[in-house]
Every structure is written in structure tokens, then in C-alpha cells.
Amino acid sequence: MKKTKLVTMLGAISLIGAIGAGSTFAYLTSTTGTVTNTFTVGNVNFDDDPLTGGLSESKVARDENSGLYVDADGTGEWTVKENKYEDLVAGEVVYKDPTVHMADDSQDAWVFAKIVNDNPELTIAYASDWVDVTDAYKTAQNLNNIDYKVYAKKDVISKSAHSTIFEEVTVGNNVTEDTTFTDIKVSACAVQAAGFASYTDALAQVSFN
């Protein structure tokens, strides 16, 4: 009787020991690689080419046949920062195409142009994808009277893109040989597109040289 009890007890002890030993086995596990989040600030830049500087226009010359000022660079080329127009006559249409150039690493941007034209006898024909936002600009900037126009590109401009603000200037019919003109001056500003649903939303951030 005693032997039977002893065997039973030893069996129980052995079972408990087996469970205890099993609890020391390693659980099945797996690991992943590390996800690293690196943050850098992007940029909104015009092309920094020393020739164009982010804003340039085509070189013009008088055409031998028509006698009019025309694009002498060819399509898709804007090689000068300044043109001179001489011996103009009433009603003449001259070629002038100030064009903005975005840098290859620029973020998407809303682009604005400042145009100074103090000549009532020189009328600018703006490109259809640029819109006059002068009044909205004055409101956004808390300005009253300004002596220039502000135009906005209707759509976002992406990296490496170009956009021509206007291509023609027409001489008025009331000019005489005594009429003098002041320079038409154009400058541009780009504002990041991210965070602004439209060009009007970005007007408060616009700053011209």
C-alpha cells in the first residue's frame, strides 16, 4: 500500500517537473526592420541660371519682310533680360514675352508677376492663363494706391516649368514723334502651393523686389 502511494506521488512530482521545464522554452518571435522618418524642408525657387535668373525673354529683331519686331531666339528659348525697341510707329504690335522659369528642384508654386507700365500708349496683351489680381493683392497686403499691376498664373507651376506672362505690346494710335516711353518692368514672386487652395489664398504671402 505504501509502495503504491509512493509511486503515485513520484508520478505527480515528475509531471509537475515536466511542466516546469517546458516553461523555460523560447517563444516563437519575429522582428521587422526599422522605419526611419527623416524630415527636410523643401524649397520654392526660380531657375538660378545666371543668364535667365528665373525671368527672361526672347531676343527680338525686326523681320526683314514685315518690318515688325519678332522672336529672334526661336520657340522655347528666352536668352535676354532686356530688349530695346526703336523707331516705333502708331498701331505697331511688338513682340515681348517675359517668361518665368522654375528651378529643377522647386516645389509646386503659385506664381505672381509685378508689371510696371507707366505708358498709356503701350497696351499689354496678357496670356490667357494669367489673371489680373491687382485689387485682391491690395486688399491682402493692406495697400491703398500702387503704381503697378499684379497678375497671377491661374494654375500651379511645377519644377522645371516655364510660363510666359504676355507676348505682345501694342503702340497706341495717338503717338507722335515727340512721344517718349518709360521702360516696362516685370518681376515675379513664387509662393509654395502646399497649404493654399488657390492663387488668391496665397496673395498675402507675395513679396516683390
Side-chain angles (χ1 to χ4, degrees):
M1 187 69 167
K2 290 181 179 180
K3 289 182 177 179
T4 304
K5 289 181 178 179
L6 181 59
V7 171
T8 303
M9 185 176 293
L10 290 172
I13 291 173
S14 298
L15 181 59
I16 294 171
I19 295 173
S23 67
T24 64
F25 294 156
Y27 289 103
L28 297 177
T29 62
S30 178
T31 60
T32 68
T34 301
V35 174
T36 302
N37 295 289
T38 302
F39 298 88
T40 59
V41 178
N43 64 79
V44 170
N45 282 331
F46 289 113
D47 185 359
D48 60 358
D49 183 284
L51 177 63
T52 65
L55 178 66
S56 61
E57 60 188 38
S58 300
K59 181 179 180 179
V60 299
R62 282 200 179 273
D63 181 76
E64 293 181 358
N65 296 317
S66 67
L68 299 177
Y69 279 105
V70 297
D71 180 1
D73 277 340
T75 303
E77 296 291 333
W78 305 271
T79 64
V80 300
K81 303 285 288 183
E82 180 182 29
N83 277 300
K84 291 185 178 180
Y85 301 87
E86 300 175 331
D87 299 324
L88 299 175
V89 297
E92 182 173 355
V93 178
V94 300
Y95 191 88
K96 185 176 180 64
D97 64 343
T99 300
V100 293
H101 317 286
M102 301 306 295
D104 293 340
D105 62 347
S106 178
Q107 304 297 310
D108 290 350
W110 296 110
V111 177
F112 304 85
K114 172 185 175 181
I115 301 94
V116 179
N117 177 20
D118 296 327
N119 307 285
E121 289 296 329
L122 294 179
T123 301
I124 298 172
Y126 290 90
S128 61
D129 55 346
W130 286 77
V131 59
D132 187 348
V133 294
T134 305
D135 289 338
Y137 169 78
K138 289 193 294 184
T139 299
Q141 298 278 339
N142 294 315
L143 300 174
N144 292 320
N145 297 318
I146 57 177
D147 59 356
Y148 54 88
K149 290 282 189 180
V150 177
Y151 273 70
K153 178 73 166 62
K154 291 181 181 179
D155 304 310
V156 166
I157 299 182
S158 300
K159 63 181 181 181
S160 304
H162 312 278
S163 183
T164 299
I165 304 165
F166 58 87
E167 290 188 346
E168 290 183 353
V169 177
T170 301
V171 181
N173 292 323
N174 295 320
V175 297
T176 67
E177 60 183 14
D178 296 321
T179 300
T180 58
F181 300 113
T182 59
D183 294 342
I184 294 177
K185 298 179 180 180
V186 182
S187 57
C189 171
V191 177
Q192 67 178 60
F196 301 102
S198 69
Y199 55 81
T200 54
D201 294 334
L203 280 170
Q205 309 303 319
V206 175
S207 177
F208 296 107
N209 290 332

